Amino acid sequence: MDALLSPPLVAPDDTEPAVDERPALCVHRLGMAHPGDLSALAALLDAGTLRAADIVAVIGKTEGNGGVNDFTRGYFTQTLMALLAERTGRPAATLLRELPCILSGGTEGVLSPHYVVFARSGRLEASSGDATGPGALAIGTAVSAPLAAQHVGRWAHVESVADAVRAAMRDAGIARTEDVAFVQVKCPCVTAARAQAAAAAGHTVLTADSNRSMATARAAGAFGVAIALGELPDDAALEAAMLTDFTRFSSRASVSSGVEVEANEVIVLGHSPRWQGELRMGCAPMGDALDLGAVARALRPLGLAAEPQLSEADAARVAAVFVKCEPDRRGSVRGARHTMLDDTDINAQRHIRGAVGGMVAGVLGDGRIFVSGGAEHQGPDGGGLVAVIARGTP
């Protein structure tokens, strides 16, 4: 009779489970009592909920006029850099050159002043480049070299933004342009002082009109994003199409311009299997200022449905919302005349932010929405785009 065989001895497994060290993105949407109020962020830092060293970008809405002389943006930026310098031990001037702080002024109607803080933890390993799967939301940032006034709104500006978008994609570990969900850019503009300094140095600016310069900067930024994402060819001859041919646009670009920056600040958000976490993002172009369906199209891939407004549970999943819009330059919306461009009492951009902001807020049940006017080449002419970050998977 065969001897009974004893099972082999197995040493107890006392090894620790593998730790997923892929980077993860954390998003905090915080309110403010005034443009210099960062008490909500300070409270998160004090509680240890958030590490100052992990903060990589901020996007916010301040209650200024959104124009050239809107100093609420600079006030917020200065306060933010002072707080982060105190908490990280790094000079505020260094942080200012490295950390995008992209602000839009104007909280008309039901829009609420707030800011969105993006924090990144973990490590992006080069060896994980072959990772597969749907991927989590990833972030990458880049700040270009300072842009000379004579280049603002010209092809050199377009190239500067395109290079910064590519750098931000590398920073995020996003290799495919189709995996980019949304790109936020802040560009410098030409002020009277900058125009005079350029002239004294023998240079000619595209326009010395500050308001016009903001529009040319936004157009150049949108073209830069479109080229980097393959939505437009990299052809310098396209410079003539800026602010003239509005059939050319990026469906994923949101571009602002202001006096408080001298370089192009870029934030790229997209999906990558090299990242972990529950955040996802949807983005949809708006055909016009009444395109309620675009909000639904941005929500749909996130498993969110408004009937007609998001439920309280679904609204709680929304982490941040970004909108670009503009008053239709042709003077009508769906065949009906609008008067936004002819109102000398209220700037047209303030009209459109209030109108579209109210529409989107009504769907989401929340006024904490980043709504920025001036959507030149950012979505269809007279429209814009809607982008939503949400927690959880469909």
Side-chain angles (χ1 to χ4, degrees):
M1 184 174 180
D2 293 336
L4 296 177
L5 298 177
S6 299
L9 297 176
V10 179
D13 186 1
D14 58 358
T15 59
E16 293 291 333
V19 177
D20 192 343
E21 294 185 342
R22 289 178 298 165
L25 176 62
C26 184
V27 173
H28 295 274
R29 183 167 52 171
L30 307 172
M32 62 176 90
H34 56 78
D37 174 30
L38 278 88
S39 58
L41 175 57
L44 291 177
L45 298 174
D46 290 340
T49 305
L50 184 62
R51 294 177 64 245
D54 290 340
I55 297 174
V56 294
V58 173
I59 302 176
K61 281 296 294 184
T62 58
E63 57 206 83
N65 60 23
V68 176
N69 65 333
D70 183 352
F71 297 106
T72 63
R73 300 178 303 228
Y75 178 26
F76 178 94
T77 302
Q78 182 182 51
T79 309
L80 174 67
M81 297 308 164
L83 174 63
L84 296 183
E86 175 190 339
R87 300 305 179 98
T88 62
R90 303 183 65 207
T94 300
L95 293 169
L96 190 64
R97 292 192 298 269
E98 298 177 357
L99 194 152
C101 179
I102 299 177
L103 304 169
S104 171
T107 51
E108 296 79 11
V110 297
L111 296 178
S112 179
H114 71 285
Y115 55 106
V116 179
V117 179
F118 297 88
R120 170 178 176 167
S121 60
R123 296 179 297 178
L124 187 65
E125 300 289 352
S127 59
S128 63
D130 57 352
T132 59
L137 189 60
I139 188 171
T141 65
V143 179
S144 74
L147 188 72
Q150 64 268 24
H151 295 319
V152 172
R154 292 186 164 126
W155 198 252
H157 191 168
V158 173
E159 292 178 321
S160 176
V161 171
D163 288 343
V165 172
R166 296 184 188 107
M169 288 179 61
R170 291 192 295 271
D171 184 50
I174 299 175
R176 304 190 313 167
T177 57
E178 57 264 39
D179 292 331
V180 173
F182 178 75
V183 181
Q184 181 70 57
V185 182
K186 188 62 180 272
C187 295
C189 66
V190 177
T191 61
R194 290 176 184 174
Q196 291 170 13
H203 302 294
T204 303
V205 298
L206 181 59
T207 176
D209 181 305
S210 298
N211 280 300
R212 178 67 177 175
S213 175
M214 292 175 76
T216 64
R218 291 190 297 263
F223 269 54
V225 174
I227 288 169
L229 299 185
E231 296 172 304
L232 287 177
D234 189 354
D235 182 358
L238 285 178
E239 182 173 351
M242 287 159 49
L243 296 181
T244 58
D245 183 358
F246 291 98
T247 64
R248 301 178 185 272
F249 60 84
S250 171
S251 60
R252 291 171 282 176
S254 171
V255 187
S256 295
S257 178
V259 299
E260 73 275 16
V261 296
E262 296 183 354
N264 300 300
E265 300 182 357
V266 173
I267 301 169
V268 166
L269 291 159
H271 299 97
S272 170
R274 300 173 66 184
W275 286 64
Q276 61 175 318
E278 62 174 355
L279 291 173
R280 303 293 185 272
M281 191 169 197
C283 183
M286 296 176 62
D288 57 35
L290 298 176
D291 191 0
L292 192 65
V295 186
R297 291 191 296 275
L299 293 170
R300 192 172 299 127
L302 306 174
L304 298 171
E307 299 175 346
Q309 190 176 84
L310 287 184
S311 67
E312 186 175 343
D314 280 350
R317 288 179 49 204
V318 175
V321 183
F322 309 98
V323 178
K324 284 298 291 189
C325 57
E326 65 176 6
D328 195 304
R329 71 194 77 253
R330 293 160 293 196
S332 66
V333 178
R334 302 191 182 186
R337 185 173 71 94
H338 72 76
T339 62
M340 290 183 279
L341 299 173
D342 300 321
D343 190 338
T344 56
D345 294 316
I346 303 174
N347 184 274
Q349 298 299 337
R350 308 202 77 167
H351 272 289
I352 197 66
R353 287 194 298 262
V356 175
M359 179 181 72
V360 179
V363 175
L364 301 176
D366 196 325
R368 295 173 300 167
I369 302 170
F370 178 94
V371 180
S372 175
E376 301 89 349
H377 305 289
Q378 302 153 67
D381 189 22
L385 57 86
V386 181
V388 180
I389 297 175
R391 302 178 181 88
T393 54

